[in-house]
Amino acid sequence: PIAFNHSKHLASGMSCTDCHTGAQSQERATLPALSACLTCHSTALTESAEEQKIRTFSAAGKELAWNPLTRVPTHVYFSHRRHAQLAKLECATCHGAMEKLTAPPQKLFRPLNMDDCIGCHETSKLKTDCNDCHR
């Protein structure tokens, strides 16, 4: 719903987890809630029409309807916490160099499927037991 500029926000000192809560410490990461945007953008910082959309959504009592690129199937267990906090993987490992994007990504940086996960685990010499991910 908003042409979000990752580059500008990350260059200002923000981190992925400022908007994507849970990405570091929980099983699931979130897409940004309108309240996160309003933390800084409740009043105009620029003359951007995209920034104005935030306040327009808020005034209408609407939430941001992001179009998620990734969807984990219901039979698959994936934990951001396990990968980001415990394994110390950087967000860019799976999501790419978001700090270079001036608009929302239109496609995934890399395939996030079973073959990709198994390949990463094999390269890192980690176990690939089916029951660790399949519920």
Side-chain angles (χ1 to χ4, degrees):
I2 296 171
F4 185 82
N5 185 330
H6 282 89
S7 177
K8 182 181 242 182
H9 287 81
L10 292 170
S12 76
M14 294 180 72
S15 71
C16 301
T17 56
D18 289 332
C19 300
H20 298 281
T21 59
Q24 189 74 27
S25 60
Q26 297 173 18
E27 178 182 321
R28 296 176 194 258
T30 63
L31 291 170
L34 181 61
S35 59
C37 302
L38 290 170
T39 301
C40 298
H41 296 287
S42 61
T43 59
L45 298 176
T46 69
E47 294 181 19
S48 164
E50 294 302 307
E51 182 189 4
Q52 179 56 43
K53 286 181 185 179
I54 295 166
R55 291 181 296 282
T56 302
F57 276 105
S58 178
K62 294 182 179 178
E63 190 52 63
L64 298 172
W66 296 106
N67 297 316
L69 290 179
T70 56
R71 287 178 176 78
V72 178
T74 56
H75 67 280
V76 173
Y77 173 75
F78 175 84
S79 170
H80 266 89
R81 180 182 175 274
R82 182 177 285 170
H83 290 83
Q85 189 176 63
L86 302 177
K88 308 275 189 247
L89 292 178
E90 296 292 327
C91 299
T93 304
C94 297
H95 298 286
M98 299 305 265
E99 72 277 3
K100 296 179 181 176
L101 296 183
T102 58
Q106 298 301 303
K107 62 180 185 156
L108 294 173
F109 164 70
R110 67 188 288 175
L112 297 176
N113 56 40
M114 190 169 103
D115 289 341
D116 192 50
C117 295
I118 297 274
C120 187
H121 275 238
E122 288 175 344
T123 300
S124 302
K125 298 185 181 356
L126 298 168
K127 65 182 187 166
T128 57
D129 185 283
C130 299
N131 291 321
D132 286 342
C133 302
H134 291 272
R135 306 286 188 217

